Amino acid sequence: MAKGIWVFAEQRDEEIKKVTYELLSAGRKAADALGEELCAVLMGRGVGSLAGKLGEYGADKVYVADVDALENYTTDAYTNVLADLAKEHQPTAILLACSVAGRDLAAQVAQRLGTGLMTDCTDIAMEDGQLVFTRPIYAGKAFVKAACPQARPVMATIRPNVLAADAPQAGRAAETVTVSAGAGDIRQVIKEIIKQISTRPELTEADIIVSGGRGMKGPENFAILEELADVLGAAVGASRAAVDAGWLSHSFQVGQTGKTVSPVLYIACGISGAIQHLAGMSSSKCIVAINKDPEANIFKVADYGIVGDLFEIVPLLKEEMKKLLA
Amino acid sequence: MKIVVLMKQVFDTEAKITLDGSGKINKQGVSLVMNPYDEYAVELGLRIKEKLKGEVTVVSLGGDEVQSALRQALAMGADKAVLVDPGTEEIDEFTTATILAKAVGGMEYDIILGGFKAIDDGSVQVCGRVAEILGVPVVNVVTQAEVEEGKAVATCDIDGGSAVIEVSLPAVLTAQKGGIEPRYPSMKGIMQAKKKPMQKIGLAEIGLDAAQVAPKVKALNFFMPAARAAGKTVPGEPAEAARELARLLREEAKVI
Ligand SMILES: Cc1cc2nc3c(=O)[nH]c(=O)nc-3n(C[C@H](O)[C@H](O)[C@H](O)COP(=O)(O)OP(=O)(O)OC[C@H]3O[C@@H](n4cnc5c(N)ncnc54)[C@H](O)[C@@H]3O)c2cc1C
Ligand SMILES: Nc1ncnc2c1ncn2[C@@H]1O[C@H](COP(=O)(O)O)[C@@H](O)[C@H]1O
C-alpha cells in the first residue's frame, strides 16, 4: 500500500527555503489525518546538515541525496533521483513548492510516474478521505478544487506564502535515510549561472512588496521605492507598463504575464490596477494603493488607499515606517 | 530543421470569468487569443527557421475554434498547422500531453517549442510531460535561445537568477517573455495563411483511444474568489496621511 506524505525540501545555497516549512506544516496535518508518515526529500551537495531542521518542522523521516551532481538544479538529475525514490517507496502524495525548480521537477516526475499534478495550489484539505487541492485559474479570477482520485502519488505544487508554517519544535529529530541512487544521465548541461545579486528578498517569497507602475515616470525614480523597500525589508515589483518601458527587467513584473505574488503587504504606487495586474497580486493579504487618481481601479481592491502624489507620499511613508520600526 | 510549436488558444486576459448553470467556467462570448507565451514560441521557431532553413509546424489540441489562433501562427510565418480534437472536455494535463506527444511523435522534429505556461487554467506542465513521453530533454522558462544543427544553448530563468543551459537536439524548450518580441502578421502573411495546410485529426488517427488518455486529475468544483472588503481611504495632507497609514498598517492590519 502506498504510504507517506512527501515534501520536496527546497534549499538554495545550503539554506532551506521558508516555503519548505509551509509544506511540512501542511503535510504534517495530511499525514496525521491519514495515519501515515511525513517524509522530506533533501537533495543537493553538502546539504546533509540541513536534515535536522526538517525534523524540527515536522518530518518523521528525511531522505538525503547528497552528491556532487545535485549541486545545482538540473531537470534530469533531480527527476531521476526523486522518481526512482518514489518508485521504490510508493508514497501517497508528493508536495513541492511552486517555484521555478519545483514546478519543473513536479511535471517531469508526475509524467514519469504516470500520475496527476495540480500546480500553484493555495490550499490543501482532507475531504472524504482524499486530499483536495484548491488552485487559482485564469490568474486568480476563479478557483478550482481538484483531486487525483486514483493515480498515486497525488502530486501538487503549492504557492509560497499562502500556507502558514507552524513553529518548529526544538530537538524534534527525524530519521535520516541516505539515498544511494545516482543522478543518472544529465542532458541539460549548465554553462553558466547568473545569480541576481540583491539584498532584497525574492518577489515570490517576500512578505512585503513595494511595487511601481507607469506613475513612477522613469527608472531613476524607483530609488524612492527601493528606499521604502529597504526600510521594510521588502522586495520591489513593477507593473507591465514599467517593465515594457524598460525601467525594470521582466523578472520584476507582477501580474498575469508576470509573477503571481501573495505577500502579507503589497504597496502599489502609481499603478492603475488593470485586470492583468490585479490577477498577479490580489491574493495579497493587505493591499495599499497610492495613486493620484481617486477613480483608479486599484482602489477597488485596496484595503488602504491614499489619493495623492506618490513622489510626496512615498518618502514621507518611508520616514514614518523608519520611526515605527526603529 | 524541423520545428514544432505547441500552441494553446486561451481566454483573452481581459476576459471576465463567470460560472455557467452547471457550475463550470462559462465559455460563451469570451474572446479567444493565442496564449501570449506561445507567441514567443512561434517567434522563436520562425527565427530558427530563418537562420537554419526548415519548416515550422504548429500543433494544437482543442476544438474547431482553435483554427483562428492556428491561422494567426500561419500568418506570422509558420508553414502548416495540425489541430487535434480530443473529442471530450474531460481532460487534464496528462491527457493533453499524451495526445500532443503522440501527434508530434508521428512527425519529424528537431526541436519542440511551447510556452512555459498557459495563462488560462495552465499549470506549467504540458511541455515538460511531452518531453518526458518522447524521451527528449526539456529546458523550461527560456528567454533566449541560440539554436544550431544538433544543439541549443538557452538562457532561462531559475530561482534567484538565470542560467545558460546547453542541450542536444531534439529537445523541448518552453518560452518566457524576455529577449524577443513576437512579430505581427503582415497583410501578405495573412493572405498566404489562408492557403497553408491545416490538418484536423482525432484520437483514432493518431492511434489513441479514450481510455489511454483518461485524466488523472478531476475537477470537483469551480468557484469565484471572495470579493475583497471595501477599503479605507486614508484622508489628510500627505504628511498626515502617511503617518496615519503607517499607524493603520501596524495597529489595525498588523502587517508591519
Ligand atoms: C496579454 C496582456 C498581458 C498583460 N499582463 C500584465 C501583467 O502581467 N502585469 C501588469 O501589470 N500588466 C499587464 N498587462 C498590462 C495592463 O493591461 C496595463 O496596461 C498595465 O498594468 C498598466 O500599468 P500601470 O498601472 O503601471 O500604468 P497605467 O495604467 O498607465 O497607470 C498609471 C497610474 O499611475 C497613476 N499616477 C501617475 N502619476 C502619479 C503620481 N505622481 N502619483 C500617484 N499616482 C500617479 C495614474 O493615476 C495611473 O493610475 C497585460 C496586458 C495584456 C494585453
Ligand atoms: N491544448 C494545447 N494545445 C497545444 N499546446 C498546449 C496545449 N495546452 C498546453 N500546451 C502547451 O503547453 C504550454 C504550457 O501549458 P500549461 O502546462 O497548461 O501551462 C503552452 O504554452 C503550450 O505550448
Side-chain angles (χ1 to χ4, degrees), chain A residues 212-217 238-242 253-259 269-277 290-293 296 308-311, chain B residues 12-14 36 119:
Chain A
R214 203 193 312 268
M216 295 307 298
K217 306 250 165 22
S239 73
R240 172 161 155 181
Q253 185 177 319
V254 172
Q256 192 158 5
T257 51
K259 294 200 164 115
C269 307
I271 293 178
S272 63
I275 192 161
Q276 298 96 342
H277 189 79
I290 301 172
N291 196 305
K292 65 180 185 190
D293 173 10
D309 184 350
L310 72 92
F311 294 103
Chain B
D12 189 342
T13 54
E14 294 282 350
I119 58 151

Short mmCIF file of all heavy atoms in Angstrom, two decimals, chain A residues 212-217 238-242 253-259 269-277 290-293 296 308-311, chain B residues 12-14 36 119, ligand 1:
data_model
loop_
_atom_site.label_atom_id
_atom_site.label_comp_id
_atom_site.label_asym_id
_atom_site.label_seq_id
_atom_site.Cartn_x
_atom_site.Cartn_y
_atom_site.Cartn_z
N GLY A 212 5.90 49.53 -8.30
CA GLY A 212 5.72 50.79 -9.01
C GLY A 212 5.22 50.57 -10.42
O GLY A 212 5.53 49.57 -11.05
N GLY A 213 4.46 51.55 -10.93
CA GLY A 213 3.93 51.46 -12.29
C GLY A 213 4.34 52.64 -13.13
O GLY A 213 5.33 53.32 -12.82
N ARG A 214 3.56 52.89 -14.16
CA ARG A 214 3.87 53.99 -15.07
C ARG A 214 3.93 55.33 -14.34
O ARG A 214 4.65 56.23 -14.75
CB ARG A 214 2.81 54.07 -16.17
CG ARG A 214 3.30 54.77 -17.42
CD ARG A 214 2.18 55.12 -18.38
NE ARG A 214 1.25 54.05 -18.65
CZ ARG A 214 1.37 53.18 -19.67
NH1 ARG A 214 2.37 53.28 -20.51
NH2 ARG A 214 0.48 52.24 -19.85
N GLY A 215 3.19 55.42 -13.24
CA GLY A 215 3.20 56.64 -12.45
C GLY A 215 4.56 56.98 -11.88
O GLY A 215 4.78 58.10 -11.41
N MET A 216 5.51 56.05 -11.91
CA MET A 216 6.87 56.33 -11.41
C MET A 216 7.62 57.25 -12.37
O MET A 216 8.65 57.79 -12.03
CB MET A 216 7.67 55.03 -11.25
CG MET A 216 7.14 54.07 -10.20
SD MET A 216 6.91 54.81 -8.59
CE MET A 216 8.59 55.29 -8.18
N LYS A 217 7.12 57.38 -13.57
CA LYS A 217 7.64 58.30 -14.58
C LYS A 217 9.00 57.97 -15.19
O LYS A 217 9.32 58.43 -16.29
CB LYS A 217 7.69 59.75 -14.07
CG LYS A 217 6.37 60.24 -13.52
CD LYS A 217 5.77 61.27 -14.42
CE LYS A 217 4.32 61.59 -14.19
NZ LYS A 217 3.68 61.32 -12.94
N ALA A 238 6.88 45.56 -10.10
CA ALA A 238 6.50 46.55 -11.09
C ALA A 238 5.31 46.09 -11.90
O ALA A 238 5.01 44.90 -11.97
CB ALA A 238 7.67 46.82 -12.03
N SER A 239 4.63 47.05 -12.51
CA SER A 239 3.58 46.71 -13.46
C SER A 239 4.22 46.45 -14.82
O SER A 239 5.39 46.77 -15.03
CB SER A 239 2.60 47.87 -13.60
OG SER A 239 3.21 48.92 -14.33
N ARG A 240 3.43 45.91 -15.72
CA ARG A 240 3.97 45.66 -17.04
C ARG A 240 4.33 46.96 -17.76
O ARG A 240 5.29 47.01 -18.53
CB ARG A 240 2.95 44.87 -17.87
CG ARG A 240 3.39 44.75 -19.31
CD ARG A 240 2.68 43.63 -20.00
NE ARG A 240 2.64 43.87 -21.43
CZ ARG A 240 2.05 43.05 -22.29
NH1 ARG A 240 1.45 41.96 -21.85
NH2 ARG A 240 2.04 43.31 -23.56
N ALA A 241 3.57 48.01 -17.50
CA ALA A 241 3.88 49.29 -18.16
C ALA A 241 5.30 49.72 -17.81
O ALA A 241 6.05 50.20 -18.66
CB ALA A 241 2.87 50.34 -17.74
N ALA A 242 5.69 49.55 -16.53
CA ALA A 242 7.04 49.94 -16.12
C ALA A 242 8.08 49.01 -16.73
O ALA A 242 9.18 49.45 -17.08
CB ALA A 242 7.13 49.92 -14.59
N GLN A 253 8.17 41.92 -13.00
CA GLN A 253 6.75 42.13 -13.36
C GLN A 253 5.80 41.28 -12.55
O GLN A 253 5.95 40.07 -12.45
CB GLN A 253 6.55 41.85 -14.86
CG GLN A 253 5.12 42.17 -15.31
CD GLN A 253 4.95 41.96 -16.80
OE1 GLN A 253 5.82 42.31 -17.58
NE2 GLN A 253 3.83 41.38 -17.20
N VAL A 254 4.79 41.93 -12.01
CA VAL A 254 3.73 41.25 -11.27
C VAL A 254 2.48 41.23 -12.15
O VAL A 254 2.14 42.24 -12.76
CB VAL A 254 3.42 42.01 -9.96
CG1 VAL A 254 2.19 41.44 -9.27
CG2 VAL A 254 4.63 41.98 -9.03
N GLY A 255 1.83 40.09 -12.23
CA GLY A 255 0.59 40.05 -13.00
C GLY A 255 0.41 38.77 -13.77
O GLY A 255 1.17 37.82 -13.62
N GLN A 256 -0.60 38.80 -14.62
CA GLN A 256 -0.99 37.59 -15.35
C GLN A 256 0.13 37.06 -16.23
O GLN A 256 0.27 35.86 -16.40
CB GLN A 256 -2.22 37.89 -16.22
CG GLN A 256 -2.86 36.65 -16.77
CD GLN A 256 -4.31 36.87 -17.15
OE1 GLN A 256 -4.83 37.99 -17.09
NE2 GLN A 256 -4.99 35.81 -17.53
N THR A 257 0.92 37.96 -16.79
CA THR A 257 2.06 37.50 -17.59
C THR A 257 3.37 37.84 -16.87
O THR A 257 4.40 38.02 -17.50
CB THR A 257 2.04 38.10 -19.01
OG1 THR A 257 1.90 39.52 -18.90
CG2 THR A 257 0.89 37.55 -19.81
N GLY A 258 3.29 37.92 -15.58
CA GLY A 258 4.49 38.12 -14.77
C GLY A 258 4.42 37.18 -13.59
O GLY A 258 3.96 36.05 -13.73
N LYS A 259 4.83 37.66 -12.44
CA LYS A 259 4.81 36.77 -11.27
C LYS A 259 3.50 36.92 -10.50
O LYS A 259 2.91 37.98 -10.46
CB LYS A 259 5.99 37.11 -10.38
CG LYS A 259 7.30 36.78 -11.09
CD LYS A 259 8.46 36.61 -10.15
CE LYS A 259 9.60 35.91 -10.88
NZ LYS A 259 10.77 36.76 -11.02
N CYS A 269 2.27 51.64 -6.06
CA CYS A 269 2.49 53.08 -6.22
C CYS A 269 2.43 53.45 -7.69
O CYS A 269 3.20 52.92 -8.50
CB CYS A 269 3.87 53.46 -5.67
SG CYS A 269 4.13 52.89 -3.99
N GLY A 270 1.51 54.31 -8.05
CA GLY A 270 1.41 54.73 -9.45
C GLY A 270 1.04 53.59 -10.38
O GLY A 270 1.51 53.50 -11.50
N ILE A 271 0.20 52.70 -9.87
CA ILE A 271 -0.30 51.56 -10.66
C ILE A 271 -1.82 51.70 -10.73
O ILE A 271 -2.47 51.87 -9.71
CB ILE A 271 0.10 50.22 -9.99
CG1 ILE A 271 1.62 50.04 -10.04
CG2 ILE A 271 -0.63 49.04 -10.64
CD1 ILE A 271 2.13 48.78 -9.38
N SER A 272 -2.37 51.61 -11.95
CA SER A 272 -3.80 51.88 -12.10
C SER A 272 -4.68 50.71 -11.66
O SER A 272 -5.83 50.91 -11.30
CB SER A 272 -4.11 52.24 -13.56
OG SER A 272 -3.82 51.13 -14.39
N GLY A 273 -4.12 49.49 -11.71
CA GLY A 273 -4.91 48.33 -11.30
C GLY A 273 -5.64 47.66 -12.45
O GLY A 273 -6.80 47.25 -12.31
N ALA A 274 -4.96 47.51 -13.58
CA ALA A 274 -5.52 46.78 -14.72
C ALA A 274 -5.78 45.34 -14.29
O ALA A 274 -5.09 44.80 -13.42
CB ALA A 274 -4.55 46.80 -15.89
N ILE A 275 -6.77 44.73 -14.94
CA ILE A 275 -7.17 43.36 -14.58
C ILE A 275 -5.99 42.39 -14.59
O ILE A 275 -5.87 41.53 -13.72
CB ILE A 275 -8.33 42.91 -15.51
CG1 ILE A 275 -8.98 41.64 -14.99
CG2 ILE A 275 -7.89 42.75 -16.95
CD1 ILE A 275 -10.36 41.40 -15.57
N GLN A 276 -5.07 42.59 -15.54
CA GLN A 276 -3.92 41.68 -15.62
C GLN A 276 -2.95 41.89 -14.46
O GLN A 276 -2.24 40.97 -14.07
CB GLN A 276 -3.16 41.86 -16.94
CG GLN A 276 -3.97 41.55 -18.18
CD GLN A 276 -4.56 42.80 -18.79
OE1 GLN A 276 -4.67 43.84 -18.16
NE2 GLN A 276 -4.98 42.69 -20.05
N HIS A 277 -2.91 43.10 -13.94
CA HIS A 277 -2.04 43.35 -12.78
C HIS A 277 -2.68 42.77 -11.53
O HIS A 277 -2.03 42.06 -10.75
CB HIS A 277 -1.75 44.84 -12.60
CG HIS A 277 -0.70 45.10 -11.56
ND1 HIS A 277 0.64 44.95 -11.83
CD2 HIS A 277 -0.78 45.41 -10.25
CE1 HIS A 277 1.33 45.19 -10.71
NE2 HIS A 277 0.49 45.47 -9.74
N ILE A 290 -1.31 53.80 -3.60
CA ILE A 290 -1.01 55.24 -3.60
C ILE A 290 -1.13 55.69 -5.05
O ILE A 290 -0.37 55.23 -5.90
CB ILE A 290 0.41 55.51 -3.04
CG1 ILE A 290 0.50 54.96 -1.61
CG2 ILE A 290 0.73 57.00 -3.10
CD1 ILE A 290 1.89 54.99 -1.02
N ASN A 291 -2.11 56.53 -5.31
CA ASN A 291 -2.40 56.91 -6.69
C ASN A 291 -3.08 58.27 -6.68
O ASN A 291 -3.90 58.55 -5.80
CB ASN A 291 -3.32 55.86 -7.34
CG ASN A 291 -3.34 55.97 -8.84
OD1 ASN A 291 -3.63 57.03 -9.39
ND2 ASN A 291 -3.04 54.88 -9.51
N LYS A 292 -2.74 59.11 -7.65
CA LYS A 292 -3.33 60.46 -7.63
C LYS A 292 -4.72 60.49 -8.23
O LYS A 292 -5.42 61.49 -8.09
CB LYS A 292 -2.40 61.46 -8.31
CG LYS A 292 -2.18 61.24 -9.78
CD LYS A 292 -1.23 62.31 -10.32
CE LYS A 292 -1.12 62.15 -11.83
NZ LYS A 292 -0.05 62.97 -12.39
N ASP A 293 -5.13 59.41 -8.85
CA ASP A 293 -6.46 59.35 -9.47
C ASP A 293 -7.43 58.61 -8.55
O ASP A 293 -7.34 57.40 -8.40
CB ASP A 293 -6.35 58.64 -10.83
CG ASP A 293 -7.69 58.39 -11.46
OD1 ASP A 293 -8.71 58.93 -10.96
OD2 ASP A 293 -7.75 57.65 -12.46
N ALA A 296 -8.99 55.41 -9.82
CA ALA A 296 -8.16 54.28 -10.28
C ALA A 296 -8.71 52.96 -9.75
O ALA A 296 -9.12 52.85 -8.59
CB ALA A 296 -6.71 54.48 -9.84
N GLY A 308 -3.17 60.72 -3.86
CA GLY A 308 -2.18 61.80 -3.82
C GLY A 308 -0.99 61.49 -4.69
O GLY A 308 -0.95 60.46 -5.38
N ASP A 309 -0.03 62.39 -4.61
CA ASP A 309 1.17 62.28 -5.44
C ASP A 309 2.19 61.35 -4.76
O ASP A 309 2.65 61.63 -3.66
CB ASP A 309 1.77 63.68 -5.62
CG ASP A 309 2.96 63.67 -6.55
OD1 ASP A 309 3.45 62.58 -6.91
OD2 ASP A 309 3.41 64.77 -6.92
N LEU A 310 2.49 60.27 -5.44
CA LEU A 310 3.40 59.30 -4.82
C LEU A 310 4.77 59.90 -4.52
O LEU A 310 5.44 59.48 -3.58
CB LEU A 310 3.53 58.06 -5.72
CG LEU A 310 4.32 58.17 -7.02
CD1 LEU A 310 5.79 57.80 -6.84
CD2 LEU A 310 3.72 57.26 -8.06
N PHE A 311 5.18 60.89 -5.32
CA PHE A 311 6.51 61.47 -5.08
C PHE A 311 6.56 62.25 -3.76
O PHE A 311 7.61 62.45 -3.20
CB PHE A 311 6.91 62.37 -6.26
CG PHE A 311 7.12 61.57 -7.51
CD1 PHE A 311 6.16 61.56 -8.51
CD2 PHE A 311 8.25 60.78 -7.65
CE1 PHE A 311 6.33 60.79 -9.65
CE2 PHE A 311 8.42 60.00 -8.79
CZ PHE A 311 7.46 60.01 -9.80
N ASP B 12 -8.83 35.61 -23.64
CA ASP B 12 -8.19 36.91 -23.61
C ASP B 12 -7.95 37.31 -22.14
O ASP B 12 -8.80 37.02 -21.28
CB ASP B 12 -9.13 37.92 -24.29
CG ASP B 12 -8.46 39.26 -24.51
OD1 ASP B 12 -7.43 39.54 -23.87
OD2 ASP B 12 -8.98 40.02 -25.33
N THR B 13 -6.83 37.97 -21.89
CA THR B 13 -6.54 38.35 -20.49
C THR B 13 -7.57 39.34 -19.93
O THR B 13 -7.71 39.48 -18.73
CB THR B 13 -5.14 38.98 -20.37
OG1 THR B 13 -5.04 40.07 -21.30
CG2 THR B 13 -4.05 37.97 -20.64
N GLU B 14 -8.27 40.04 -20.84
CA GLU B 14 -9.30 40.99 -20.39
C GLU B 14 -10.58 40.27 -19.96
O GLU B 14 -11.47 40.89 -19.38
CB GLU B 14 -9.70 41.93 -21.55
CG GLU B 14 -8.61 42.87 -22.02
CD GLU B 14 -8.44 44.06 -21.09
OE1 GLU B 14 -9.29 44.24 -20.20
OE2 GLU B 14 -7.45 44.79 -21.25
N PRO B 36 -0.24 34.07 -24.80
CA PRO B 36 0.86 35.03 -25.02
C PRO B 36 2.25 34.38 -25.05
O PRO B 36 3.09 34.76 -25.85
CB PRO B 36 0.73 36.00 -23.85
CG PRO B 36 -0.70 35.92 -23.43
CD PRO B 36 -1.18 34.53 -23.76
N ILE B 119 -1.88 30.80 -19.88
CA ILE B 119 -2.37 31.77 -18.89
C ILE B 119 -3.82 31.53 -18.46
O ILE B 119 -4.35 32.27 -17.67
CB ILE B 119 -2.23 33.22 -19.39
CG1 ILE B 119 -3.01 33.41 -20.70
CG2 ILE B 119 -0.78 33.60 -19.59
CD1 ILE B 119 -3.49 34.80 -20.88
C1 LIG C 1 -1.87 40.00 -22.72
C2 LIG C 1 -1.62 41.03 -21.68
C3 LIG C 1 -0.95 40.69 -20.53
C4 LIG C 1 -0.69 41.63 -19.54
N1 LIG C 1 -0.02 41.26 -18.41
C5 LIG C 1 0.23 42.18 -17.46
C6 LIG C 1 0.92 41.81 -16.25
O1 LIG C 1 1.32 40.66 -16.06
N2 LIG C 1 1.14 42.77 -15.33
C7 LIG C 1 0.72 44.07 -15.48
O2 LIG C 1 0.97 44.89 -14.58
N3 LIG C 1 0.08 44.44 -16.60
C8 LIG C 1 -0.16 43.53 -17.59
N4 LIG C 1 -0.78 43.93 -18.74
C9 LIG C 1 -0.95 45.38 -18.97
C10 LIG C 1 -2.15 46.00 -18.30
O3 LIG C 1 -3.26 45.86 -19.15
C11 LIG C 1 -1.88 47.51 -18.06
O4 LIG C 1 -1.57 48.13 -19.28
C12 LIG C 1 -0.74 47.80 -17.09
O5 LIG C 1 -0.88 47.01 -15.91
C13 LIG C 1 -0.73 49.27 -16.73
O6 LIG C 1 0.37 49.55 -15.90
P1 LIG C 1 0.30 50.79 -14.90
O7 LIG C 1 -0.80 50.59 -13.93
O8 LIG C 1 1.67 50.93 -14.34
O9 LIG C 1 0.07 52.02 -15.88
P2 LIG C 1 -1.20 52.94 -16.08
O10 LIG C 1 -2.41 52.16 -16.35
O11 LIG C 1 -0.79 53.96 -17.05
O12 LIG C 1 -1.39 53.60 -14.66
C14 LIG C 1 -0.52 54.54 -14.11
C15 LIG C 1 -1.16 55.04 -12.84
O13 LIG C 1 -0.26 55.91 -12.17
C16 LIG C 1 -1.00 56.96 -11.59
N5 LIG C 1 -0.07 58.06 -11.39
C17 LIG C 1 0.57 58.80 -12.32
N6 LIG C 1 1.37 59.70 -11.74
C18 LIG C 1 1.23 59.57 -10.43
C19 LIG C 1 1.78 60.22 -9.29
N7 LIG C 1 2.67 61.21 -9.42
N8 LIG C 1 1.39 59.84 -8.07
C20 LIG C 1 0.49 58.83 -7.92
N9 LIG C 1 -0.06 58.19 -8.94
C21 LIG C 1 0.30 58.54 -10.19
C22 LIG C 1 -2.11 57.23 -12.57
O14 LIG C 1 -3.22 57.86 -11.93
C23 LIG C 1 -2.44 55.85 -13.08
O15 LIG C 1 -3.49 55.26 -12.33
C24 LIG C 1 -1.09 42.98 -19.73
C25 LIG C 1 -1.78 43.33 -20.88
C26 LIG C 1 -2.04 42.38 -21.85
C27 LIG C 1 -2.81 42.79 -23.07
#
